[in-house]
Every structure is written in structure tokens, then in C-alpha cells.
Amino acid sequence: VRLLGILFIIWGILSIVFGLIIFGLFLGGGFLTGNEEAFAVLSIIGIAVGAFCFLTGIPEIIGGWGLLRKTQWGRVVVLIMAVFNVINPPLGTALGVYAFWVLFNPESKAILT
């Protein structure tokens, strides 16, 4: 459970960093084109992807922290985020499947209060 919590915190941080990078690349790419329409479209895409990554990274960090504190709500948050991670191959899928394997284990349920 501890390892899973650490992995989710790392994954959440990477998700936020990735979102910020995507936001910057799309915004900068749109600016470099010099075309107002391209800038507008790329800015919208960059904001949408960056916001999605940011908004999924926060619950992953919180859920990972909850697992480190051995809370039941941390288990619930991580299970919900694991569903989203399963559709994010290859690393997200591996993390999601590992989360299901760990958190549906009866020993893990007994540890989390």
C-alpha cells in the first residue's frame, strides 16, 4: 500500500508537469505561427489538455497521500483514479492494474482504516 501511495504521488506530479509542458508548447507554438486563428485554436487545445492533466494530477496526489496515511478515503480516491489510468497506456494502464491488484487484496482492506 505504501509503494502504491508513493507511485500515485509521483504519477500525479508527472501529470501536472506534463500538463504545464503541453500548455506551454501549444501556447508557444500558436504564438510562433503568427496566425491569430492558429494561436486561438492551439491555445484552446493547450488549455484543455493542460487543465485535464492538472485536474487529474491533484486527486492522484491526494489519493496517494491518503494511502500513505492508511485511510479508507485514500483507497476510494485511488480506485477512482485507477479507472482513468487504465485507459492511459502503457504506464497508466500498469499503474491502474497494480492499484486494483493491491487495493482489492483482503490484506490491504484490513490495513486501511
Side-chain angles (χ1 to χ4, degrees):
V1 174
R2 186 175 195 287
L3 176 61
L4 183 63
I6 292 169
L7 288 174
F8 260 84
I9 290 171
I10 292 169
W11 189 254
I13 292 169
L14 289 175
S15 179
I16 290 171
V17 169
F18 178 74
L20 291 173
I21 290 170
I22 291 296
F23 171 73
L25 287 175
F26 274 75
L27 198 64
F31 180 74
L32 290 176
T33 63
N35 185 338
E36 289 181 25
E37 290 178 18
F39 178 72
V41 170
L42 290 174
S43 296
I44 291 170
I45 293 170
I47 290 170
V49 172
F52 178 78
C53 291
F54 185 82
L55 293 175
T56 57
I58 296 296
E60 288 171 345
I61 294 170
I62 293 170
W65 181 75
L67 284 183
L68 291 179
R69 309 258 310 153
K70 297 183 179 164
T71 61
Q72 185 63 32
W73 62 263
R75 179 181 182 268
V76 173
V77 171
V78 168
L79 282 172
I80 291 169
M81 296 313 297
V83 171
F84 291 108
N85 284 335
V86 167
I87 59 174
N88 185 10
L91 297 177
T93 303
L95 183 61
V97 169
Y98 180 65
F100 291 138
W101 181 67
V102 168
L103 296 177
F104 284 125
N105 186 334
E107 294 172 8
S108 296
K109 288 181 184 179
I111 292 173
L112 302 172
T113 57

